[in-house]
Amino acid sequence: MALHRPSTMRRILTVDLPMLAILAFTLGPYLWMFLTSISDQSTLFTEGPSLLNATLENYTRLFRTVGFADNLLDSFIVAGGTVIVGLSLSVTAAYSFSRFEFRAKRILMLQFLLINMFPLVLLILPLFVLMRVLGLLDTHIALIVANSTIAIPFSIWMMVSYINGIPRSLDEAAMTDGCTRLQALRRVVLPLCLPGIIATGIYIFITSWNEYLYALTLGGREVRPITVAVQTLIGEYEVQWGLLTAGGIVGALPATVLFLLVQKRLISGLTQGAVKG
């Protein structure tokens, strides 16, 4: 017992309390946002955020007056379209890099990695000029293409590591049984690397959902994702903190719920990609 008590106290001081401090530091701003969003606007600056007299007026105004539902729909269309385009191109490209040998293979892979080292500001002007020439400004297609330029290079690197962990003998056995190369990819490789596909898809979705610079530059009145819509709640002379925090909570909710639903798949996909086959 004498040895058990000091070890318990040491664990509390060295593990439990620091973890509680880190948790409070991490979740504190979100809890403060939630309290602000459910506080009455008239008493927010006099009494501060509080659970007393909690109201959902800010959320009601957010959807009725501001039209936040349309902004959420725009974000879902852009993020979903980017996931479809990104996975379609990254999976097929990663399969080619994993299974075939060709010239400049290493150089191309290095270029995909170098693209992520440059800031997005360098790509805004060329993309803006290109979309204006094509007549795609203020459309979902423009934002899907722009977000794909960010997501696809790193997604290819992720998928290559997953596909490298699948033995090539499985592809060869499927083609020996009469499958074509694409059928072997669809029937053998894709089911085996499903956790990696889910992890990559979540990465693409969250990247597109949280993207602000492209949405601000290439979007407009017709297409306005939530990242831009929340910014419009900040006025020149007044900030409506209730609406602003409510918009932040609603905007962060879909990505958080998606992560919680596929958490096990995501972790297994990330650990699978960390092991080199």
Side-chain angles (χ1 to χ4, degrees):
M1 293 295 294
L3 295 176
H4 180 68
R5 289 179 181 177
S7 62
T8 303
M9 182 61 65
R10 181 181 300 177
R11 179 180 60 83
I12 294 175
L13 293 176
T14 59
V15 179
D16 296 344
L17 290 181
M19 290 300 297
L20 287 175
I22 295 174
L23 187 64
F25 180 79
T26 304
L27 297 180
Y30 296 99
L31 294 177
W32 188 265
M33 285 176 57
F34 177 72
L35 287 177
T36 305
S37 66
I38 62 176
S39 299
D40 191 6
Q41 186 72 21
S42 59
T43 60
L44 183 60
F45 294 99
T46 57
E47 301 178 5
S50 175
L51 287 175
L52 300 177
N53 300 324
T55 177
L56 298 177
E57 180 184 358
N58 292 319
Y59 292 93
T60 304
R61 291 174 54 199
L62 190 68
F63 287 96
R64 289 185 179 179
T65 307
V66 182
F68 211 67
D70 295 333
N71 304 129
L72 279 175
L73 181 60
D74 289 335
S75 293
F76 273 115
I77 293 175
V78 172
T82 307
V83 169
I84 295 174
V85 174
L87 285 181
S88 300
L89 296 179
S90 61
V91 169
T92 51
Y95 182 79
S96 300
F97 280 106
S98 176
R99 293 298 191 258
F100 300 109
E101 296 294 334
F102 50 89
R103 292 182 179 180
K105 175 181 176 179
R106 293 182 178 273
I107 296 177
L108 288 175
M109 290 294 294
L110 182 61
Q111 287 180 348
F112 290 146
L113 185 61
L114 291 176
I115 290 175
N116 291 276
M117 298 182 181
F118 292 98
L120 299 180
V121 180
L122 298 179
L123 298 177
I124 288 180
L125 183 58
L127 284 173
F128 180 82
V129 174
L130 178 63
M131 297 303 171
R132 185 182 62 180
V133 172
L134 297 176
L136 296 177
L137 285 178
D138 199 10
T139 62
H140 296 102
I141 297 177
L143 292 179
I144 291 174
V145 172
N147 289 327
S148 297
T149 61
I150 310 172
I152 290 177
F154 188 71
S155 298
I156 292 176
W157 269 89
M158 292 179 65
M159 289 306 306
V160 166
S161 63
Y162 299 134
I163 298 178
N164 283 339
I166 301 174
R168 297 189 180 187
S169 58
L170 297 179
D171 303 33
E172 297 171 355
M175 289 186 289
T176 302
D177 291 336
C179 291
T180 63
R181 176 69 69 173
L182 290 178
Q183 289 175 340
L185 170 63
R186 179 171 59 87
R187 297 180 180 179
V188 177
V189 177
L190 293 185
L192 292 177
C193 65
L194 184 60
I197 294 176
I198 294 176
T200 305
I202 294 174
Y203 160 76
I204 297 174
F205 183 88
I206 294 178
T207 301
S208 304
W209 186 268
N210 295 328
E211 206 285 319
Y212 171 75
L213 210 53
Y214 286 157
L216 179 64
T217 307
L218 303 178
R221 295 183 178 180
E222 299 296 330
V223 178
R224 180 178 294 176
I226 58 170
T227 50
V228 179
V230 170
Q231 188 269 338
T232 59
L233 299 176
I234 303 176
E236 184 177 359
Y237 301 104
E238 181 185 5
V239 179
Q240 301 185 29
W241 291 107
L243 285 177
L244 185 63
T245 52
I249 293 294
V250 174
L253 197 59
T256 304
V257 172
L258 177 64
F259 176 80
L260 293 177
L261 290 176
V262 296
Q263 182 180 6
K264 294 183 179 180
R265 292 270 188 178
L266 176 62
I267 295 175
S268 63
L270 292 175
T271 53
Q272 178 183 346
V275 180
K276 184 177 180 181

